[in-house]
Amino acid sequence: MKLFLSISSVLGLALFLFGYWGKHSVAGKKRFDEMAGIIPEFSYWLGIGLLAAGLLTSAIWLIRK
């Protein structure tokens, strides 16, 4: 359980930050133009999903203790 929480948190945060950079910064928009923009978009939402899964897992783990 702790391993999943650690991996999902670190990977989720990394993917979220990469996606945010790719979507919202000038350098990111220049690097990932129209068709390549799916990469940061997918990373952004996958990162949010992994962070949510880690948060839900930790909440369940804390309630069960």
Side-chain angles (χ1 to χ4, degrees):
M1 184 74 77
K2 289 181 183 180
L3 180 63
F4 172 75
L5 180 60
S6 299
I7 290 173
S8 68
S9 296
V10 170
L11 188 60
L13 185 62
L15 287 171
F16 173 76
L17 290 175
F18 170 72
Y20 187 84
W21 170 80
K23 286 177 59 169
H24 299 291
S25 72
V26 175
K29 286 180 183 178
K30 187 180 285 188
R31 173 67 175 94
F32 296 100
D33 57 353
E34 298 167 3
M35 292 304 288
I38 192 73
I39 296 168
E41 182 76 28
F42 182 73
S43 297
Y44 181 78
W45 289 109
L46 182 61
I48 289 175
L50 283 174
L51 288 172
L55 182 64
L56 184 64
T57 303
S58 65
I60 292 171
W61 184 59
L62 288 173
I63 290 171
R64 289 186 137 188
K65 272 192 148 190

Short mmCIF file of all heavy atoms in Angstrom, two decimals:
data_model
loop_
_atom_site.label_atom_id
_atom_site.label_comp_id
_atom_site.label_asym_id
_atom_site.label_seq_id
_atom_site.Cartn_x
_atom_site.Cartn_y
_atom_site.Cartn_z
N MET A 1 0.82 -1.18 0.00
CA MET A 1 0.00 0.00 0.00
C MET A 1 0.87 1.25 0.00
O MET A 1 0.61 2.18 -0.75
CB MET A 1 -0.93 -0.03 1.20
CG MET A 1 -1.89 1.11 1.26
SD MET A 1 -3.23 1.01 0.09
CE MET A 1 -4.27 -0.19 0.86
N LYS A 2 1.89 1.26 0.84
CA LYS A 2 2.77 2.43 0.91
C LYS A 2 3.56 2.60 -0.39
O LYS A 2 3.81 3.72 -0.81
CB LYS A 2 3.72 2.32 2.09
CG LYS A 2 3.05 2.49 3.42
CD LYS A 2 4.06 2.41 4.55
CE LYS A 2 3.39 2.50 5.89
NZ LYS A 2 4.34 2.42 6.99
N LEU A 3 3.93 1.47 -1.01
CA LEU A 3 4.67 1.53 -2.27
C LEU A 3 3.80 2.15 -3.37
O LEU A 3 4.26 3.02 -4.12
CB LEU A 3 5.15 0.14 -2.68
CG LEU A 3 5.94 0.06 -3.97
CD1 LEU A 3 7.23 0.85 -3.83
CD2 LEU A 3 6.21 -1.38 -4.33
N PHE A 4 2.56 1.72 -3.46
CA PHE A 4 1.64 2.29 -4.45
C PHE A 4 1.44 3.77 -4.20
O PHE A 4 1.44 4.58 -5.14
CB PHE A 4 0.28 1.58 -4.42
CG PHE A 4 -0.74 2.25 -5.29
CD1 PHE A 4 -0.69 2.11 -6.67
CD2 PHE A 4 -1.73 3.04 -4.73
CE1 PHE A 4 -1.63 2.74 -7.47
CE2 PHE A 4 -2.67 3.67 -5.53
CZ PHE A 4 -2.62 3.51 -6.90
N LEU A 5 1.28 4.14 -2.95
CA LEU A 5 1.07 5.55 -2.61
C LEU A 5 2.28 6.39 -2.99
O LEU A 5 2.14 7.47 -3.57
CB LEU A 5 0.78 5.68 -1.12
CG LEU A 5 0.53 7.07 -0.59
CD1 LEU A 5 -0.66 7.69 -1.28
CD2 LEU A 5 0.30 7.02 0.91
N SER A 6 3.46 5.90 -2.71
CA SER A 6 4.69 6.63 -3.05
C SER A 6 4.86 6.77 -4.56
O SER A 6 5.14 7.86 -5.06
CB SER A 6 5.91 5.92 -2.46
OG SER A 6 5.81 5.85 -1.08
N ILE A 7 4.68 5.67 -5.27
CA ILE A 7 4.86 5.70 -6.72
C ILE A 7 3.81 6.58 -7.38
O ILE A 7 4.14 7.40 -8.25
CB ILE A 7 4.84 4.27 -7.30
CG1 ILE A 7 6.09 3.51 -6.87
CG2 ILE A 7 4.74 4.29 -8.82
CD1 ILE A 7 6.09 2.06 -7.23
N SER A 8 2.56 6.44 -6.99
CA SER A 8 1.52 7.25 -7.62
C SER A 8 1.68 8.73 -7.30
O SER A 8 1.40 9.58 -8.14
CB SER A 8 0.13 6.76 -7.21
OG SER A 8 -0.11 7.01 -5.86
N SER A 9 2.15 9.04 -6.11
CA SER A 9 2.33 10.45 -5.75
C SER A 9 3.47 11.08 -6.54
O SER A 9 3.32 12.18 -7.10
CB SER A 9 2.62 10.58 -4.26
OG SER A 9 1.51 10.15 -3.52
N VAL A 10 4.60 10.42 -6.58
CA VAL A 10 5.77 10.97 -7.29
C VAL A 10 5.52 11.03 -8.80
O VAL A 10 5.75 12.05 -9.44
CB VAL A 10 7.04 10.15 -6.96
CG1 VAL A 10 8.20 10.55 -7.86
CG2 VAL A 10 7.40 10.30 -5.50
N LEU A 11 5.02 9.94 -9.35
CA LEU A 11 4.76 9.91 -10.79
C LEU A 11 3.63 10.87 -11.15
O LEU A 11 3.71 11.57 -12.17
CB LEU A 11 4.41 8.48 -11.22
CG LEU A 11 4.28 8.23 -12.70
CD1 LEU A 11 5.60 8.53 -13.41
CD2 LEU A 11 3.87 6.80 -12.96
N GLY A 12 2.59 10.93 -10.34
CA GLY A 12 1.49 11.85 -10.59
C GLY A 12 1.93 13.30 -10.56
O GLY A 12 1.53 14.10 -11.40
N LEU A 13 2.76 13.64 -9.59
CA LEU A 13 3.24 15.01 -9.50
C LEU A 13 4.14 15.36 -10.69
O LEU A 13 4.03 16.45 -11.26
CB LEU A 13 3.99 15.23 -8.19
CG LEU A 13 4.46 16.65 -7.90
CD1 LEU A 13 3.26 17.59 -7.80
CD2 LEU A 13 5.27 16.70 -6.63
N ALA A 14 5.00 14.44 -11.08
CA ALA A 14 5.88 14.68 -12.23
C ALA A 14 5.07 14.85 -13.51
O ALA A 14 5.34 15.78 -14.30
CB ALA A 14 6.88 13.54 -12.37
N LEU A 15 4.10 13.99 -13.74
CA LEU A 15 3.28 14.10 -14.94
C LEU A 15 2.44 15.37 -14.93
O LEU A 15 2.28 16.04 -15.96
CB LEU A 15 2.38 12.87 -15.08
CG LEU A 15 3.08 11.58 -15.49
CD1 LEU A 15 2.13 10.41 -15.37
CD2 LEU A 15 3.63 11.69 -16.89
N PHE A 16 1.89 15.71 -13.77
CA PHE A 16 1.09 16.93 -13.65
C PHE A 16 1.93 18.16 -13.96
O PHE A 16 1.51 19.04 -14.71
CB PHE A 16 0.48 17.03 -12.26
CG PHE A 16 -0.22 18.33 -12.01
CD1 PHE A 16 -1.45 18.58 -12.57
CD2 PHE A 16 0.37 19.30 -11.24
CE1 PHE A 16 -2.10 19.79 -12.36
CE2 PHE A 16 -0.26 20.51 -11.01
CZ PHE A 16 -1.51 20.75 -11.57
N LEU A 17 3.13 18.23 -13.38
CA LEU A 17 3.98 19.40 -13.61
C LEU A 17 4.43 19.49 -15.06
O LEU A 17 4.48 20.58 -15.63
CB LEU A 17 5.18 19.36 -12.67
CG LEU A 17 4.87 19.60 -11.19
CD1 LEU A 17 6.12 19.41 -10.34
CD2 LEU A 17 4.26 20.96 -10.98
N PHE A 18 4.75 18.36 -15.67
CA PHE A 18 5.12 18.36 -17.08
C PHE A 18 3.95 18.82 -17.95
O PHE A 18 4.12 19.64 -18.85
CB PHE A 18 5.58 16.97 -17.52
CG PHE A 18 5.75 16.85 -19.01
CD1 PHE A 18 6.80 17.46 -19.66
CD2 PHE A 18 4.82 16.14 -19.76
CE1 PHE A 18 6.94 17.36 -21.03
CE2 PHE A 18 4.96 16.04 -21.13
CZ PHE A 18 6.01 16.65 -21.76
N GLY A 19 2.78 18.30 -17.67
CA GLY A 19 1.61 18.70 -18.43
C GLY A 19 1.26 20.16 -18.25
O GLY A 19 0.89 20.85 -19.19
N TYR A 20 1.40 20.65 -17.03
CA TYR A 20 1.13 22.06 -16.76
C TYR A 20 2.13 22.94 -17.51
O TYR A 20 1.74 23.94 -18.10
CB TYR A 20 1.19 22.33 -15.26
CG TYR A 20 0.76 23.72 -14.89
CD1 TYR A 20 -0.59 24.00 -14.73
CD2 TYR A 20 1.68 24.75 -14.72
CE1 TYR A 20 -1.01 25.27 -14.41
CE2 TYR A 20 1.28 26.02 -14.41
CZ TYR A 20 -0.07 26.29 -14.24
OH TYR A 20 -0.47 27.56 -13.94
N TRP A 21 3.38 22.54 -17.49
CA TRP A 21 4.40 23.29 -18.22
C TRP A 21 4.09 23.28 -19.72
O TRP A 21 4.17 24.32 -20.38
CB TRP A 21 5.78 22.68 -17.97
CG TRP A 21 6.84 23.24 -18.86
CD1 TRP A 21 7.50 24.42 -18.72
CD2 TRP A 21 7.36 22.64 -20.06
NE1 TRP A 21 8.39 24.59 -19.76
CE2 TRP A 21 8.33 23.51 -20.59
CE3 TRP A 21 7.09 21.45 -20.72
CZ2 TRP A 21 9.02 23.22 -21.75
CZ3 TRP A 21 7.79 21.17 -21.88
CH2 TRP A 21 8.74 22.05 -22.38
N GLY A 22 3.73 22.14 -20.24
CA GLY A 22 3.47 22.02 -21.67
C GLY A 22 2.24 22.78 -22.13
O GLY A 22 2.15 23.23 -23.26
N LYS A 23 1.25 22.92 -21.24
CA LYS A 23 0.00 23.59 -21.61
C LYS A 23 0.02 25.09 -21.35
O LYS A 23 -0.62 25.84 -22.06
CB LYS A 23 -1.16 22.99 -20.82
CG LYS A 23 -1.59 21.63 -21.27
CD LYS A 23 -2.68 21.08 -20.40
CE LYS A 23 -3.89 21.99 -20.42
NZ LYS A 23 -5.08 21.41 -19.82
N HIS A 24 0.71 25.53 -20.30
CA HIS A 24 0.52 26.89 -19.83
C HIS A 24 1.76 27.79 -19.92
O HIS A 24 1.65 28.96 -19.57
CB HIS A 24 0.02 26.88 -18.39
CG HIS A 24 -1.30 26.19 -18.24
ND1 HIS A 24 -2.47 26.71 -18.75
CD2 HIS A 24 -1.64 25.02 -17.67
CE1 HIS A 24 -3.47 25.89 -18.48
NE2 HIS A 24 -2.98 24.85 -17.82
N SER A 25 2.89 27.29 -20.34
CA SER A 25 4.06 28.17 -20.45
C SER A 25 4.34 28.45 -21.93
O SER A 25 3.96 27.69 -22.82
CB SER A 25 5.28 27.52 -19.81
OG SER A 25 5.75 26.46 -20.60
N VAL A 26 5.01 29.54 -22.17
CA VAL A 26 5.35 29.93 -23.54
C VAL A 26 6.29 28.91 -24.16
O VAL A 26 6.11 28.49 -25.30
CB VAL A 26 5.98 31.35 -23.56
CG1 VAL A 26 6.45 31.72 -24.95
CG2 VAL A 26 4.99 32.36 -23.02
N ALA A 27 7.30 28.50 -23.39
CA ALA A 27 8.25 27.51 -23.90
C ALA A 27 7.57 26.16 -24.17
O ALA A 27 7.86 25.49 -25.16
CB ALA A 27 9.39 27.32 -22.91
N GLY A 28 6.65 25.78 -23.31
CA GLY A 28 5.94 24.53 -23.49
C GLY A 28 5.03 24.56 -24.71
O GLY A 28 4.94 23.59 -25.46
N LYS A 29 4.35 25.68 -24.90
CA LYS A 29 3.48 25.81 -26.07
C LYS A 29 4.28 25.84 -27.36
O LYS A 29 3.83 25.35 -28.39
CB LYS A 29 2.63 27.08 -25.96
CG LYS A 29 1.53 26.96 -24.94
CD LYS A 29 0.72 28.23 -24.88
CE LYS A 29 -0.34 28.13 -23.81
NZ LYS A 29 -1.11 29.37 -23.69
N LYS A 30 5.49 26.41 -27.30
CA LYS A 30 6.34 26.43 -28.48
C LYS A 30 6.88 25.03 -28.78
O LYS A 30 6.97 24.62 -29.92
CB LYS A 30 7.51 27.40 -28.27
CG LYS A 30 8.35 27.60 -29.51
CD LYS A 30 9.49 28.56 -29.26
CE LYS A 30 8.95 29.97 -29.18
NZ LYS A 30 10.03 30.97 -29.11
N ARG A 31 7.23 24.30 -27.74
CA ARG A 31 7.79 22.94 -27.91
C ARG A 31 6.73 21.95 -28.38
O ARG A 31 6.98 21.10 -29.21
CB ARG A 31 8.40 22.48 -26.59
CG ARG A 31 8.86 21.05 -26.55
CD ARG A 31 10.04 20.82 -27.48
NE ARG A 31 10.55 19.49 -27.35
CZ ARG A 31 10.19 18.47 -28.12
NH1 ARG A 31 9.31 18.65 -29.07
NH2 ARG A 31 10.71 17.28 -27.95
N PHE A 32 5.54 22.05 -27.81
CA PHE A 32 4.44 21.14 -28.16
C PHE A 32 3.36 21.93 -28.87
O PHE A 32 2.41 22.41 -28.26
CB PHE A 32 3.88 20.46 -26.90
CG PHE A 32 4.85 19.59 -26.20
CD1 PHE A 32 5.53 20.03 -25.09
CD2 PHE A 32 5.12 18.31 -26.67
CE1 PHE A 32 6.44 19.23 -24.44
CE2 PHE A 32 6.03 17.51 -26.03
CZ PHE A 32 6.70 17.96 -24.92
N ASP A 33 3.51 22.07 -30.18
CA ASP A 33 2.53 22.84 -30.95
C ASP A 33 1.27 22.01 -31.18
O ASP A 33 1.03 21.03 -30.51
CB ASP A 33 3.15 23.33 -32.25
CG ASP A 33 3.68 22.19 -33.10
OD1 ASP A 33 3.68 21.05 -32.62
OD2 ASP A 33 4.08 22.45 -34.24
N GLU A 34 0.48 22.35 -32.15
CA GLU A 34 -0.87 21.85 -32.35
C GLU A 34 -1.03 20.34 -32.17
O GLU A 34 -1.70 19.89 -31.25
CB GLU A 34 -1.35 22.24 -33.75
CG GLU A 34 -1.43 23.72 -33.95
CD GLU A 34 -1.59 24.08 -35.40
OE1 GLU A 34 -1.70 23.18 -36.25
OE2 GLU A 34 -1.58 25.28 -35.69
N MET A 35 -0.43 19.55 -33.01
CA MET A 35 -0.65 18.10 -32.97
C MET A 35 0.11 17.43 -31.83
O MET A 35 -0.33 16.42 -31.30
CB MET A 35 -0.27 17.46 -34.30
CG MET A 35 -1.19 17.85 -35.43
SD MET A 35 -2.92 17.49 -35.10
CE MET A 35 -2.94 15.73 -35.23
N ALA A 36 1.25 17.95 -31.46
CA ALA A 36 2.03 17.36 -30.37
C ALA A 36 1.48 17.78 -29.01
O ALA A 36 1.92 17.27 -27.99
CB ALA A 36 3.49 17.78 -30.48
N GLY A 37 0.49 18.66 -28.99
CA GLY A 37 -0.09 19.13 -27.74
C GLY A 37 -0.83 18.07 -26.96
O GLY A 37 -1.15 18.26 -25.78
N ILE A 38 -1.10 16.93 -27.58
CA ILE A 38 -1.79 15.84 -26.88
C ILE A 38 -0.90 15.23 -25.80
O ILE A 38 -1.40 14.73 -24.80
CB ILE A 38 -2.26 14.76 -27.89
CG1 ILE A 38 -3.22 13.78 -27.24
CG2 ILE A 38 -1.09 14.00 -28.46
CD1 ILE A 38 -4.57 14.34 -26.97
N ILE A 39 0.42 15.31 -25.97
CA ILE A 39 1.34 14.73 -24.98
C ILE A 39 1.24 15.45 -23.64
O ILE A 39 1.01 14.79 -22.62
CB ILE A 39 2.78 14.72 -25.54
CG1 ILE A 39 2.86 13.82 -26.76
CG2 ILE A 39 3.77 14.27 -24.45
CD1 ILE A 39 4.14 13.94 -27.53
N PRO A 40 1.37 16.78 -23.57
CA PRO A 40 1.20 17.42 -22.27
C PRO A 40 -0.23 17.36 -21.75
O PRO A 40 -0.46 17.29 -20.55
CB PRO A 40 1.66 18.85 -22.48
CG PRO A 40 1.76 19.05 -23.92
CD PRO A 40 1.87 17.72 -24.56
N GLU A 41 -1.21 17.36 -22.66
CA GLU A 41 -2.61 17.27 -22.23
C GLU A 41 -2.87 15.93 -21.54
O GLU A 41 -3.47 15.88 -20.47
CB GLU A 41 -3.53 17.41 -23.45
CG GLU A 41 -4.99 17.37 -23.13
CD GLU A 41 -5.50 18.66 -22.52
OE1 GLU A 41 -4.93 19.73 -22.79
OE2 GLU A 41 -6.47 18.58 -21.75
N PHE A 42 -2.41 14.84 -22.15
CA PHE A 42 -2.57 13.52 -21.56
C PHE A 42 -1.79 13.41 -20.25
O PHE A 42 -2.29 12.86 -19.27
CB PHE A 42 -2.10 12.45 -22.55
CG PHE A 42 -2.28 11.05 -22.06
CD1 PHE A 42 -3.54 10.49 -21.98
CD2 PHE A 42 -1.18 10.30 -21.66
CE1 PHE A 42 -3.70 9.20 -21.51
CE2 PHE A 42 -1.34 9.03 -21.19
CZ PHE A 42 -2.62 8.45 -21.12
N SER A 43 -0.58 13.94 -20.22
CA SER A 43 0.24 13.90 -19.00
C SER A 43 -0.43 14.66 -17.87
O SER A 43 -0.42 14.23 -16.71
CB SER A 43 1.62 14.49 -19.26
OG SER A 43 2.31 13.74 -20.20
N TYR A 44 -1.01 15.80 -18.20
CA TYR A 44 -1.68 16.64 -17.21
C TYR A 44 -2.83 15.87 -16.54
O TYR A 44 -2.92 15.80 -15.32
CB TYR A 44 -2.20 17.89 -17.92
CG TYR A 44 -2.91 18.88 -17.04
CD1 TYR A 44 -2.19 19.74 -16.22
CD2 TYR A 44 -4.29 19.00 -17.06
CE1 TYR A 44 -2.83 20.67 -15.43
CE2 TYR A 44 -4.94 19.93 -16.28
CZ TYR A 44 -4.21 20.76 -15.46
OH TYR A 44 -4.85 21.69 -14.69
N TRP A 45 -3.68 15.27 -17.35
CA TRP A 45 -4.84 14.56 -16.80
C TRP A 45 -4.46 13.24 -16.14
O TRP A 45 -5.07 12.83 -15.15
CB TRP A 45 -5.90 14.37 -17.87
CG TRP A 45 -6.55 15.66 -18.21
CD1 TRP A 45 -6.41 16.36 -19.37
CD2 TRP A 45 -7.39 16.46 -17.37
NE1 TRP A 45 -7.12 17.54 -19.30
CE2 TRP A 45 -7.73 17.62 -18.09
CE3 TRP A 45 -7.88 16.30 -16.08
CZ2 TRP A 45 -8.55 18.61 -17.56
CZ3 TRP A 45 -8.70 17.29 -15.55
CH2 TRP A 45 -9.03 18.42 -16.29
N LEU A 46 -3.46 12.55 -16.67
CA LEU A 46 -2.99 11.33 -16.04
C LEU A 46 -2.37 11.63 -14.68
O LEU A 46 -2.57 10.90 -13.71
CB LEU A 46 -1.99 10.60 -16.93
CG LEU A 46 -1.45 9.27 -16.42
CD1 LEU A 46 -2.58 8.27 -16.25
CD2 LEU A 46 -0.40 8.73 -17.36
N GLY A 47 -1.63 12.74 -14.60
CA GLY A 47 -1.05 13.16 -13.33
C GLY A 47 -2.12 13.47 -12.30
O GLY A 47 -2.02 13.09 -11.13
N ILE A 48 -3.17 14.17 -12.72
CA ILE A 48 -4.27 14.46 -11.80
C ILE A 48 -4.93 13.17 -11.35
O ILE A 48 -5.26 13.00 -10.17
CB ILE A 48 -5.28 15.41 -12.47
CG1 ILE A 48 -4.68 16.81 -12.60
CG2 ILE A 48 -6.59 15.47 -11.68
CD1 ILE A 48 -5.54 17.79 -13.35
N GLY A 49 -5.11 12.24 -12.26
CA GLY A 49 -5.71 10.95 -11.90
C GLY A 49 -4.87 10.16 -10.91
O GLY A 49 -5.39 9.58 -9.96
N LEU A 50 -3.56 10.14 -11.12
CA LEU A 50 -2.68 9.42 -10.20
C LEU A 50 -2.63 10.10 -8.83
O LEU A 50 -2.60 9.42 -7.80
CB LEU A 50 -1.28 9.31 -10.78
CG LEU A 50 -1.10 8.26 -11.86
CD1 LEU A 50 0.30 8.36 -12.47
CD2 LEU A 50 -1.33 6.87 -11.32
N LEU A 51 -2.64 11.42 -8.81
CA LEU A 51 -2.67 12.13 -7.53
C LEU A 51 -3.97 11.87 -6.80
O LEU A 51 -3.99 11.68 -5.58
CB LEU A 51 -2.44 13.63 -7.74
CG LEU A 51 -1.02 14.03 -8.11
CD1 LEU A 51 -0.99 15.51 -8.49
CD2 LEU A 51 -0.06 13.75 -6.97
N ALA A 52 -5.07 11.83 -7.53
CA ALA A 52 -6.37 11.53 -6.91
C ALA A 52 -6.41 10.10 -6.39
O ALA A 52 -6.94 9.84 -5.30
CB ALA A 52 -7.49 11.77 -7.91
N ALA A 53 -5.85 9.17 -7.15
CA ALA A 53 -5.80 7.78 -6.69
C ALA A 53 -4.95 7.65 -5.44
O ALA A 53 -5.31 6.91 -4.51
CB ALA A 53 -5.25 6.88 -7.80
N GLY A 54 -3.83 8.35 -5.39
CA GLY A 54 -2.99 8.33 -4.20
C GLY A 54 -3.68 8.95 -3.00
O GLY A 54 -3.59 8.44 -1.88
N LEU A 55 -4.41 10.03 -3.22
CA LEU A 55 -5.15 10.68 -2.14
C LEU A 55 -6.27 9.77 -1.63
O LEU A 55 -6.45 9.63 -0.41
CB LEU A 55 -5.74 12.00 -2.63
CG LEU A 55 -6.51 12.82 -1.62
CD1 LEU A 55 -5.57 13.27 -0.50
CD2 LEU A 55 -7.14 14.01 -2.29
N LEU A 56 -6.99 9.15 -2.53
CA LEU A 56 -8.05 8.23 -2.13
C LEU A 56 -7.49 7.02 -1.40
O LEU A 56 -8.04 6.59 -0.38
CB LEU A 56 -8.84 7.79 -3.37
CG LEU A 56 -10.04 6.90 -3.13
CD1 LEU A 56 -11.09 7.65 -2.31
CD2 LEU A 56 -10.62 6.45 -4.45
N THR A 57 -6.39 6.49 -1.89
CA THR A 57 -5.76 5.35 -1.24
C THR A 57 -5.28 5.71 0.16
O THR A 57 -5.48 4.93 1.11
CB THR A 57 -4.56 4.85 -2.08
OG1 THR A 57 -5.02 4.52 -3.37
CG2 THR A 57 -3.92 3.63 -1.45
N SER A 58 -4.68 6.87 0.31
CA SER A 58 -4.21 7.25 1.64
C SER A 58 -5.37 7.52 2.59
O SER A 58 -5.30 7.21 3.77
CB SER A 58 -3.30 8.48 1.56
OG SER A 58 -4.02 9.60 1.11
N ALA A 59 -6.48 8.08 2.07
CA ALA A 59 -7.65 8.31 2.91
C ALA A 59 -8.24 6.98 3.40
O ALA A 59 -8.58 6.83 4.58
CB ALA A 59 -8.69 9.12 2.16
N ILE A 60 -8.35 6.03 2.50
CA ILE A 60 -8.87 4.71 2.88
C ILE A 60 -7.93 4.04 3.87
O ILE A 60 -8.36 3.43 4.87
CB ILE A 60 -9.08 3.83 1.64
CG1 ILE A 60 -10.23 4.39 0.80
CG2 ILE A 60 -9.33 2.38 2.01
CD1 ILE A 60 -10.39 3.74 -0.55
N TRP A 61 -6.63 4.18 3.64
CA TRP A 61 -5.65 3.56 4.52
C TRP A 61 -5.72 4.17 5.93
O TRP A 61 -5.62 3.47 6.92
CB TRP A 61 -4.25 3.73 3.91
CG TRP A 61 -3.16 3.07 4.65
CD1 TRP A 61 -3.05 1.74 4.93
CD2 TRP A 61 -2.00 3.70 5.18
NE1 TRP A 61 -1.88 1.52 5.60
CE2 TRP A 61 -1.21 2.70 5.78
CE3 TRP A 61 -1.53 5.01 5.21
CZ2 TRP A 61 -0.02 2.97 6.41
CZ3 TRP A 61 -0.33 5.27 5.82
CH2 TRP A 61 0.40 4.26 6.41
N LEU A 62 -5.90 5.48 6.01
CA LEU A 62 -5.99 6.15 7.31
C LEU A 62 -7.29 5.80 8.04
O LEU A 62 -7.30 5.66 9.27
CB LEU A 62 -5.87 7.66 7.15
CG LEU A 62 -4.49 8.17 6.82
CD1 LEU A 62 -4.55 9.67 6.51
CD2 LEU A 62 -3.52 7.91 7.98
N ILE A 63 -8.39 5.66 7.30
CA ILE A 63 -9.66 5.30 7.92
C ILE A 63 -9.61 3.88 8.48
O ILE A 63 -10.14 3.62 9.56
CB ILE A 63 -10.80 5.46 6.90
CG1 ILE A 63 -11.03 6.94 6.61
CG2 ILE A 63 -12.09 4.81 7.40
CD1 ILE A 63 -11.99 7.21 5.47
N ARG A 64 -8.98 2.98 7.77
CA ARG A 64 -8.92 1.58 8.20
C ARG A 64 -8.03 1.37 9.42
O ARG A 64 -8.17 0.38 10.11
CB ARG A 64 -8.43 0.70 7.08
CG ARG A 64 -9.45 0.55 5.99
CD ARG A 64 -8.98 -0.42 4.99
NE ARG A 64 -10.11 -1.27 4.63
CZ ARG A 64 -10.01 -2.32 3.88
NH1 ARG A 64 -8.84 -2.72 3.46
NH2 ARG A 64 -11.07 -3.01 3.58
N LYS A 65 -7.10 2.28 9.69
CA LYS A 65 -6.20 2.11 10.82
C LYS A 65 -6.87 2.36 12.10
O LYS A 65 -7.63 2.84 12.61
CB LYS A 65 -4.99 3.03 10.68
CG LYS A 65 -3.92 2.37 9.91
CD LYS A 65 -2.65 3.18 10.06
CE LYS A 65 -1.51 2.21 10.00
NZ LYS A 65 -0.28 2.78 10.34
#
